[in-house]
Amino acid sequence: MTLPFFVYGTLRPGRPNHDLFLRGRTLSEQPAVMRGAVLYEGPGYPYVVEEPGGTVYGEIVTARPEEYGELLRTLDRLEDYAPGDPRNLYERVEREVTLVGDGEPARAWVYVAAPAVAARLRARGKRIEGGDWSAG
């Protein structure tokens, strides 16, 4: 399934991984929000943890069709995600996000904290108030 990506941390425009992994490989990048989730600090990058009532700010990034397969594999490696691996730091899940401006919903891939990581963060992690890692 070909979906855009919702990025909320180091892959956002102006952040270091955007230029390394996304520059020249996208058709569009639009501000968006993900509801039902919060952000926690990680070691130099944030984690999304799904939680009712929260909001996370980021961008929805649409890959160029000819770049999609390689970009998906690259982002999975960057996010330490392998389908079904219990050691994953993140899980890649399909979620609805809302485009800022027109309020239109869109389905996107989102890398959320894997269950074990989410449990640790909820127990003793530092939540990013306001849901915008770039604001800090």
Side-chain angles (χ1 to χ4, degrees):
M1 178 176 3
T2 302
L3 292 173
F5 300 89
F6 177 73
V7 298
Y8 53 85
T10 65
L11 289 166
R12 289 180 79 176
R15 295 295 183 157
N17 282 339
H18 180 273
D19 285 352
L20 288 173
F21 298 101
L22 297 176
R23 183 170 301 283
R25 299 171 101 179
T26 65
L27 288 174
S28 66
E29 300 174 7
Q30 300 172 266
V33 296
M34 179 181 176
R35 304 208 189 283
V38 296
L39 283 179
Y40 282 90
E41 283 289 345
Y45 50 85
Y47 285 99
V48 160
V49 174
E50 294 183 286
E51 189 171 298
T55 302
V56 172
Y57 295 87
E59 275 77 32
I60 193 166
V61 175
T62 302
R64 294 183 177 282
E66 67 275 13
E67 298 281 349
Y68 186 81
E70 180 58 30
L71 185 58
L72 181 65
R73 288 186 291 278
T74 298
L75 295 182
D76 282 353
R77 280 192 303 274
L78 174 68
E79 305 295 1
D80 286 327
Y81 168 71
D85 190 333
R87 298 169 297 167
N88 284 341
L89 295 179
Y90 292 92
E91 295 291 329
R92 179 172 36 88
V93 297
E94 180 184 346
R95 293 294 182 263
E96 184 172 285
V97 299
T98 303
L99 299 174
V100 172
D102 63 14
E104 287 294 315
R107 301 298 288 177
W109 290 124
V110 182
Y111 291 92
V112 301
V117 174
R120 283 194 305 271
L121 290 167
R122 284 185 186 108
R124 55 186 178 276
K126 181 179 181 221
R127 191 165 158 175
I128 300 170
E129 297 304 323
D132 189 345
W133 189 67
S134 291

